[in-house]
Every structure is written in structure tokens, then in C-alpha cells.
Amino acid sequence: MPGWLYNLINVGVQLIGYYMASFLIDNKLYGRKWMQIIGFLLDFILFIVPAFNFTYYTSSEHIKAFQAMYFLSSFFNQFGPNSVTFIVAAEVFPTPIRATAHGFAAACGKAGALTAAVMYNYITTTQKFHVVPWFGLGGAFVTWLFLPDTTGLDLKEQERRWHYIRTGREHEYHGIAIHPKHLSVWERFRGVGKNYNAELDYKQKIEEMRGEWEASMRAKAAEQEGSMDEHDAFDTEWSSDVSTYFQKTGSSIINAKEKGSDSEDNEKVAL
């Protein structure tokens, strides 16, 4: 079989791994973290096995087993770290530095590729199989220890947590982003998830929404009085149910303003 056909088969196997990753990357039973850990571990196994039996697997009698392991390593490279690293790097960092951090992560990957390309000029093929697998094992360990699992976690909720962290109020955040299933082992060890409380988080979200509603009401009032430019006005449309609830349970400032405006309207009607 010509060499180009082996390359074509390898590309086909990689594509299958890539599309399998796209189907399972949001699966809550598998997801991003386990996909990366298993991909790293299987790449380690599929390279370490022939590394210590290189002559055996490169012999004409067993070369097909060697080829099968190589194709499987290509599959799990795509159905693992090669897909997950790009997605996770775009999710775990706060918005103000997300692009920079993603670029830095990509640069580190390119630096690793450059290091391998230079190093391969100074070691034999057998030595390559003794060196490369350990990076897969190290990647699996680092992923298990430090990577949070963002599977099923809304980016808006992550950004909400980062807002609390940036304002020095990390201990006041009680949302789903610090649920143990989303935290890394290192974060759980540090006790980050101890503040998780679904009931308190629900109340916090109500108050945050109330603040947004009151701000939008003030903006609309300022716009009607002509003291605000159209471009500064809030575009958020609130449902009647939400507005009614916040009006009944709103702050005294908002209620006072509404009562004041009602009395002014009544005076105008009376005149």
C-alpha cells in the first residue's frame, strides 16, 4: 500500500474522532474534562506499548498492529485534547482577557510543537516513542487536577462569578459555577465550593434582576424628561409580570418616584 494511502486513512480516522467529539463534548456524562483526560491517557498507552517493544511491533509479522495503534492514537488525539483545548480556553477565562488568554494558551501549544520539531532532529525514532508518551500522561494529570469542567455551564453564569471575583466579593457568590461538579480538584481542595447555596443564589439573582429593572426604569424616566440621549437608554424589554412583581416589591425610591409621578398626573387632570 502506498504511503499517501496510509496518510489518507489517518486523516479519515482523525475526522471521525473530531466529529465524535462534536457529538459528545456537551454530554453531561462525558463532556469536556473526561474527554480530555481519556484522550491523553489512551494516547499515552498507545505510544508506551510499542515504545518498549519497538522491534517486535515494527517487524513484518506485527506491523499491522503497530499501524492500528498509530491510527487509534490519531483518533483519540482528536476525540480528546485536540478538540477540547480550543473550546475550554475560550470558556474558562473572564471576558476582558479571554482573547489574550486564549492566544497565550495557543502560543504555549505552538511552543511545544516547535520544541518537538527541534528535538526530533537529535533523537532516534525509538527514543521518540520513549519520550513522547509521558507528555500524554502529564497532560491527563494536569487536566484532572487543575481543569474546571464547563460542560453544561452557561458562559453568562461564569462571567457572573468572575464579576464577583474581580470586585473582591468571591465569598458572596453562591451560584452553580462553584458546584463541585464544575470545579477542578484543586479548587475543591482549596474549598472554593463551600459557598455554593442554590437558595441564596436564587435570591441573589432576583435582587440582581431587580437592580437591572430599576436601572432601566430610571433610564426610561430620564429619557422621557429629555435628560438622556436615546443612545444611552436601556433596550431591555421587561414582561408585564416581571414589572408588576418588582413594582409591588420594589425599593422605596422607585415607589416614591412612581407615586410622585401619579400625583403630578392627578394634579394635571384636576387643573
Side-chain angles (χ1 to χ4, degrees), residues 113-146:
L114 179 62
T115 302
V118 173
M119 182 177 63
Y120 282 1
N121 292 315
Y122 299 97
I123 60 177
T124 64
T125 302
T126 307
Q127 289 173 330
K128 293 174 186 176
F129 277 84
H130 283 95
V131 172
V132 169
W134 303 104
F135 288 96
L137 184 61
F141 176 74
V142 171
T143 300
W144 170 78
L145 184 61
F146 292 113

Side-chain angles (χ1 to χ4, degrees), residues 85 88-90 92-108:
T85 49
V88 169
V92 297
F93 301 109
T95 301
I97 64 165
R98 184 170 293 160
T100 302
H102 194 290
F104 180 76
C108 290

Side-chain angles (χ1 to χ4, degrees), residues 38-154:
I38 292 172
F40 270 131
L41 281 177
L42 286 171
D43 278 342
F44 166 72
I45 293 168
L46 292 166
F47 272 86
I48 205 69
V49 170
F52 291 98
N53 299 276
F54 193 75
T55 304
Y56 174 83
Y57 282 109
T58 53
S59 63
S60 57
E61 295 86 359
H62 304 99
I63 192 66
K64 291 190 181 299
F66 182 80
Q67 291 169 339
M69 285 189 287
Y70 181 76
F71 290 147
L72 282 172
S73 71
S74 295
F75 172 83
F76 283 106
N77 189 37
Q78 296 297 328
F79 186 57
N82 220 34
S83 295
V84 178
T85 49
F86 287 98
I87 293 175
V88 169
E91 292 179 336
V92 297
F93 301 109
T95 301
I97 64 165
R98 184 170 293 160
T100 302
H102 194 290
F104 180 76
C108 290
K110 299 300 182 288
L114 179 62
T115 302
V118 173
M119 182 177 63
Y120 282 1
N121 292 315
Y122 299 97
I123 60 177
T124 64
T125 302
T126 307
Q127 289 173 330
K128 293 174 186 176
F129 277 84
H130 283 95
V131 172
V132 169
W134 303 104
F135 288 96
L137 184 61
F141 176 74
V142 171
T143 300
W144 170 78
L145 184 61
F146 292 113
L147 185 69
D149 192 357
T150 55
T151 304
L153 187 59
D154 189 1

Side-chain angles (χ1 to χ4, degrees), residues 139-167:
F141 176 74
V142 171
T143 300
W144 170 78
L145 184 61
F146 292 113
L147 185 69
D149 192 357
T150 55
T151 304
L153 187 59
D154 189 1
L155 282 175
K156 186 177 180 180
E157 185 62 28
Q158 293 184 71
E159 192 58 33
R160 182 169 165 256
R161 180 195 172 195
W162 277 114
H163 173 72
Y164 277 85
I165 294 173
R166 292 198 303 271
T167 54

Side-chain angles (χ1 to χ4, degrees), residues 191-226:
V192 173
K194 66 182 179 181
N195 292 321
Y196 173 70
N197 188 313
E199 186 176 348
L200 285 178
D201 183 56
Y202 175 76
K203 293 177 180 178
Q204 272 185 335
K205 286 182 176 178
I206 293 295
E207 291 308 311
E208 289 171 10
M209 187 181 292
R210 185 193 304 280
E212 293 176 4
W213 177 81
E214 290 180 353
S216 67
M217 293 300 102
R218 291 191 185 95
K220 285 184 178 179
E223 184 183 4
Q224 290 174 356
E225 293 172 4

